[in-house]
Amino acid sequence: MTTVRLVNSDSSCSGRVEIFHNGNWGTVCDDSWDLNDAQVVCHQLGCGRALSAQRSAHFGQGSGPIWLDDLQCSGTESSLKDCTHRGLGTHNCGHSEDAGVICEDMPTVRLVNSDSSCSGRVEIFHNGNWGTVCDDVWDVNDAQVVCQQLGCGRALSAPGNAHFGQGSGPIWLNDLQCSGNESSLTDYMTTVRLVNSDSSCSGRVEIFHNGTWGTVCDDSWDVNDAQVVCQQLGCGRALSAPRSAHFGQGSGPIWLDDLQCSGTESSLTDCRHRGLGTHNCRHSEDAGAICEDMTTVRLVNSDSSCSGRVEIFHNGNWGTVCDNIWDWNDAQVVCQQLGCGRALSAPGNAHFGQGSGPIWLDDLQCSGNESSLTDYMTAVRLVHSDSSCSGRVEIFHNGNWGTVCDDVWDLNDAQVVCQQLGCGRALSAPRSEDRPNAA
């Protein structure tokens, strides 16, 4: 999947446009860059209307690949990659031509499921998705921030218990304690990522706060702190907590220092620390984490931790498993993985309620002896080429990248790879020993 962000600006709704593709962030060239292209970015990020489409590296020159060039968007597409373009990674540009946008920076909060625009269920737009706010300790001060953010005047009440109906998708915020004077509920939102590594489950720890990515200082950094990061990212158990900028020095703010986590917290900001932005460190002390790189499983919507709807955490999101040919052997793998003993049954037809989000697995055929359902989950990449849309085909499976043999390899096979990577039509399927390619 391809994602987008705006960087090098004081606002989360303006900056240099960067695209995440094939494991790397890269820029967009400003050839033919216009307001329609910018509108797609603003809409994708929940930032309202595009005000301008900046060119000539207005927000500074980026680094790394230039993923898109000669974009021709209508403004209604759901992402830049849906627009007409040269092809991911194909360009004739330098970073002096990096594109930027300025959006109207509209509030990322809304009220839904009501006849009035100033009442309803509170929803937050974050990380590309609308989600809800939990009503634990929710009160009129919290509601006042929403009303003020939406220009709706004074908060009259703060209903809980899904008064305006139950939402779906992520629950973005909980245990809010607003004074009522904050500018936005999203002042509280902090996310985490691991960067500068070949794996999505190891790297330099970076925190997104107040519209900017920053690092974590390694003072007192240990495996308990790393465990919180690994758990938050769905990467299993923390194996080590590297220090001294093991994954390279970051830039920008150092958001956290002197962390004292137990390992059970849901976020680093829930641990004891000096305070966001308070530290006595340099980037030579940036903290890192190495996790197991495992995808996790859970059972939900049941009174027992050993029964429920099966959900898989993969690529940053929880999703479900389709019940096509789902049987006792498949269920046995889940029970074994969770330490729940022998599987008693394998209900289908959304017996434990319908989930939401992606459906990660289908047509499972387990023997019952596998260590994890996610032994079946694979990703693909193209390597050893100047373009992200050509190269040797490699598959990630069971924790390792490996190749594909070229026996009977043809254009139909290559087309599947190209389609999976968002690279358009397969032009050829080169062969030669162990190095099939897609182009």
Side-chain angles (χ1 to χ4, degrees), residues 381-394:
R381 67 182 181 185
L382 295 172
V383 299
H384 278 220
S385 166
D386 293 333
S387 168
S388 62
C389 285
S390 65
R392 182 176 68 242
V393 179
E394 293 193 350

Side-chain angles (χ1 to χ4, degrees), residues 12-341:
S12 60
C13 286
S14 64
R16 181 175 65 246
V17 180
E18 294 194 350
I19 298 291
F20 189 79
H21 175 67
N22 204 27
N24 293 285
W25 287 102
T27 60
V28 175
C29 182
D30 66 4
D31 292 347
S32 75
W33 180 254
D34 63 16
L35 205 61
N36 287 333
D37 308 319
Q39 180 57 47
V40 175
V41 176
C42 295
H43 180 72
Q44 189 174 355
L45 293 173
C47 287
R49 186 169 54 92
L51 301 180
S52 65
Q54 301 293 326
R55 306 174 71 173
S56 303
H58 178 83
F59 291 101
Q61 295 187 30
S63 60
I66 298 173
W67 284 130
L68 291 172
D69 188 20
D70 290 335
L71 279 159
Q72 295 181 342
C73 302
S74 68
T76 60
E77 294 85 356
S78 59
S79 93
L80 286 181
K81 68 182 179 65
D82 295 333
C83 307
T84 300
H85 55 80
R86 279 185 167 226
L88 280 157
T90 303
H91 65 89
N92 60 352
C93 306
H95 283 295
S96 61
E97 301 170 82
D98 285 344
V101 304
I102 299 175
C103 313
E104 57 185 355
D105 205 0
M106 66 181 282
T108 51
V109 65
R110 67 183 181 185
L111 295 171
V112 300
N113 222 29
S114 165
D115 293 333
S116 167
S117 61
C118 285
S119 65
R121 181 176 65 248
V122 179
E123 294 194 347
I124 299 289
F125 189 83
H126 176 65
N127 203 27
N129 291 285
W130 286 102
T132 60
V133 176
C134 183
D135 68 0
D136 292 346
V137 303
W138 177 258
D139 63 16
V140 75
N141 287 332
D142 306 318
Q144 178 58 38
V145 175
V146 176
C147 293
Q148 181 175 309
Q149 191 174 353
L150 294 176
C152 288
R154 185 169 59 89
L156 300 180
S157 63
N161 298 316
H163 179 81
F164 290 99
Q166 294 185 31
S168 60
I171 299 174
W172 284 130
L173 290 171
N174 189 21
D175 292 334
L176 282 164
Q177 295 182 328
C178 299
S179 66
N181 298 317
E182 293 81 1
S183 61
S184 167
L185 285 188
T186 54
D187 291 347
Y188 295 94
M189 302 190 77
T190 306
T191 54
V192 66
R193 67 181 181 184
L194 294 172
V195 299
N196 222 31
S197 165
D198 292 334
S199 167
S200 62
C201 285
S202 65
R204 181 176 64 245
V205 179
E206 293 194 351
I207 298 291
F208 189 80
H209 175 68
N210 204 24
T212 303
W213 287 102
T215 62
V216 175
C217 182
D218 66 4
D219 292 347
S220 74
W221 178 257
D222 63 18
V223 76
N224 287 333
D225 307 319
Q227 178 58 41
V228 175
V229 175
C230 295
Q231 181 175 315
Q232 190 174 355
L233 293 175
C235 287
R237 184 170 55 92
L239 301 180
S240 64
R243 304 171 71 171
S244 303
H246 177 82
F247 290 101
Q249 295 187 31
S251 59
I254 297 173
W255 283 128
L256 291 171
D257 187 19
D258 291 333
L259 279 158
Q260 295 181 346
C261 302
S262 67
T264 60
E265 295 84 357
S266 59
S267 161
L268 285 182
T269 53
D270 294 335
C271 307
R272 289 181 60 189
H273 55 82
R274 280 185 167 224
L276 279 158
T278 303
H279 65 89
N280 60 354
C281 306
R282 295 178 297 180
H283 283 296
S284 59
E285 301 170 81
D286 285 343
I290 299 176
C291 315
E292 288 182 304
D293 204 0
M294 64 180 285
T295 309
T296 52
V297 65
R298 67 182 182 184
L299 296 171
V300 300
N301 223 29
S302 166
D303 293 331
S304 167
S305 61
C306 285
S307 65
R309 181 175 65 245
V310 179
E311 292 192 345
I312 300 289
F313 192 91
H314 176 66
N315 202 27
N317 292 284
W318 286 103
T320 58
V321 176
C322 183
D323 69 357
N324 290 334
I325 65 174
W326 175 258
D327 64 14
W328 183 89
N329 286 333
D330 305 319
Q332 179 58 32
V333 176
V334 176
C335 293
Q336 181 174 309
Q337 190 174 354
L338 293 175
C340 289

